[in-house]
Amino acid sequence: MAKKAAGGPKRVTMTDVARRAGVSQPTVSFVLNDRRDVAVAEETRRRVLQAAAELDFVPNRAAQLLRSNRSFTIGVVTSGIVSQPYAGLIVLGLQQVVQPAGYVCMVVDTTDDPGQGDDAVASLVAQGVAAIVYASLSPKPLHRSPRLDGIRTIFVNCWPEEGHADTVLLADEYAGGRAAAASVFERGHREVAFLGGMRDDYACRERRRGFDDAARAAGLKPSELVHRYGNYQIGNGYDLATEVVVEHSPTALVCGNDRMAIGALLALHALGLECPGDVSIVGFDDQPDVADQVRPGLTTAALPHLMLGRRAGELLLGPPEEAPARLIVDCELIERDSVGDPPKQRRRVGPK
């Protein structure tokens, strides 16, 4: 009985593809590596691609790296993302785009310690990454390692404290805040309160700016509306909503994020009020398994974390000279059941 050869099935090579397509091995290399600087007839290119598909050819990336001195690894330096599933969509979106092109992502989550970030970058650079992507849970400035000279860098949902990035990608917090506020002003609400996050937080400032411009568009003076600031947590949303509803009896609350909006929903329930019958509520983030799971479902502006990651991947695969210095991604308004028309008669609670 013949003895089976060790090592399993033979790997399909460019020579096999060349034989199937009836061309030379260098021609196969030019086509599969998309060498547009070398003239190859379209019919020949088609035959090579068809032969590669028929043979289920898989490029040997290690060999390509040795020949071209090109890395197929992207270093991702994140701040607080790995512990937050919905913010992790940034990394998922990046992977969805670059992995089909043969790249892998090496993710390192750091603290706010610049030294730790520099060490992480040094390790990634030592492994020959093709690019570095900085990504953050919330929009803020991040320390950019000085060891990145000559390496392409993209900042997603953040920007460099110092130095230069090829591109900065941010969500349109202002437009999202304006759309969230407009969703109640356009329903006829006039007694509206803004319950934001930290006053000096970039996202809060932009969302407040959008809220105020939506109020002006509705013919209202922002200075005459209630504005309160908190910390983006459920308990804080509960406390702020209780205070504002008892003291001012608004018909709508525009909250800094979905967690604060959930706190506001709990506060209304504790006060014996209904949403949206007595008070409408709007959130921000469209946090998965949260905004669509509460009752009533939460109207909210969606943070485009997945799209931010995908756009970063598309830019990395494209020519660096065509990448914009700054790219703003829309925050879509997701309309659910927490917004209704203002009540015909406001129900007051608490001390008269």
Side-chain angles (χ1 to χ4, degrees):
M1 181 181 292
K3 189 176 181 180
K4 277 190 177 181
K10 178 177 176 292
R11 181 188 180 92
V12 177
T13 67
M14 285 191 183
T15 300
D16 298 323
V17 176
R19 188 177 299 113
R20 172 69 68 92
V23 299
S24 67
Q25 189 273 336
T27 298
V28 172
S29 177
F30 295 150
V31 172
L32 297 183
N33 287 294
D34 201 25
R35 287 281 303 277
R36 296 292 176 170
D37 58 322
V38 178
V40 177
E42 282 304 313
E43 171 61 21
T44 302
R45 185 180 300 275
R46 186 192 62 76
R47 290 208 319 274
V48 169
L49 293 175
Q50 181 176 344
E54 291 172 351
L55 293 173
D56 198 21
F57 173 75
V58 178
N60 186 334
R61 291 301 189 190
Q64 288 181 339
L65 176 57
L66 290 173
R67 289 194 301 269
S68 65
N69 196 30
R70 179 186 180 191
S71 170
F72 286 88
T73 301
I74 295 171
V76 185
V77 181
T78 70
S79 176
I81 281 183
V82 295
S83 62
Q84 298 290 338
Y86 75 101
L89 291 173
I90 293 176
V91 177
L92 175 61
L94 175 64
Q95 291 175 327
Q96 286 178 346
V97 172
V98 302
Q99 284 182 346
Y103 289 82
V104 295
C105 294
M106 186 176 296
V107 182
V108 179
D109 199 68
T110 70
T111 64
D112 291 329
D113 177 10
Q116 182 178 351
D118 286 349
D119 290 343
V121 168
S123 176
L124 292 169
V125 170
Q127 297 181 57
V129 293
I132 292 288
V133 175
Y134 283 90
S136 174
L137 168 63
S138 58
K140 62 182 179 180
L142 290 184
H143 169 72
R144 180 188 186 277
S145 173
R147 307 175 189 182
L148 285 172
D149 290 343
I151 297 179
R152 192 171 183 189
T153 57
I154 290 182
F155 279 67
V156 183
N157 208 35
C158 54
W159 56 92
E161 287 182 330
E162 65 285 305
H164 167 75
D166 291 292
T167 302
V168 172
L169 289 88
L170 295 171
D172 197 339
E173 307 277 357
Y174 163 78
R178 181 162 182 162
S183 71
V184 293
F185 288 127
E186 291 174 357
R187 294 290 290 262
H189 291 269
R190 292 299 177 262
E191 301 296 328
V192 181
F194 174 83
L195 308 184
M198 288 76 77
R199 186 186 295 266
D200 294 330
D201 176 69
Y202 166 83
C204 180
R205 292 199 311 269
E206 290 298 291
R207 295 171 192 180
R208 160 71 191 267
R209 193 163 65 87
F211 174 90
D212 287 352
D213 281 352
R216 293 186 184 96
L220 303 173
K221 294 182 179 179
S223 60
E224 296 178 355
L225 299 178
V226 176
H227 300 79
R228 294 288 186 274
Y229 297 92
N231 61 12
Y232 292 126
Q233 299 304 313
I234 292 176
N236 182 247
Y238 181 98
D239 293 339
L240 288 180
T242 300
E243 172 190 326
V244 168
V245 169
V246 169
E247 294 181 0
H248 301 279
S249 299
T251 64
L253 301 172
V254 177
C255 299
N257 68 352
D258 292 343
R259 291 192 294 274
M260 293 185 74
I262 290 171
L265 279 170
L266 295 173
L268 293 186
H269 178 75
L271 292 169
L273 299 175
E274 296 181 355
C275 174
D278 295 306
V279 181
S280 291
I281 293 179
V282 185
F284 206 110
D285 287 351
D286 194 32
Q287 187 170 342
D289 299 322
V290 174
D292 61 340
Q293 295 298 310
V294 296
R295 293 295 179 269
L298 195 60
T299 290
T300 183
L303 278 177
H305 284 140
L306 184 70
M307 184 54 66
L308 283 169
R310 291 187 62 85
R311 294 304 301 272
E314 291 165 1
L315 291 172
L316 286 174
L317 295 181
E321 62 273 11
E322 294 182 8
R326 186 181 178 92
L327 184 63
I328 305 298
V329 179
D330 291 340
C331 293
E332 180 186 2
L333 180 71
I334 308 298
E335 296 183 284
R336 297 192 178 97
D337 299 325
S338 64
V339 172
D341 295 334
K344 295 180 179 179
Q345 183 175 354
R346 284 190 288 168
R347 292 172 57 190
R348 297 185 179 273
V349 296
K352 301 294 183 182

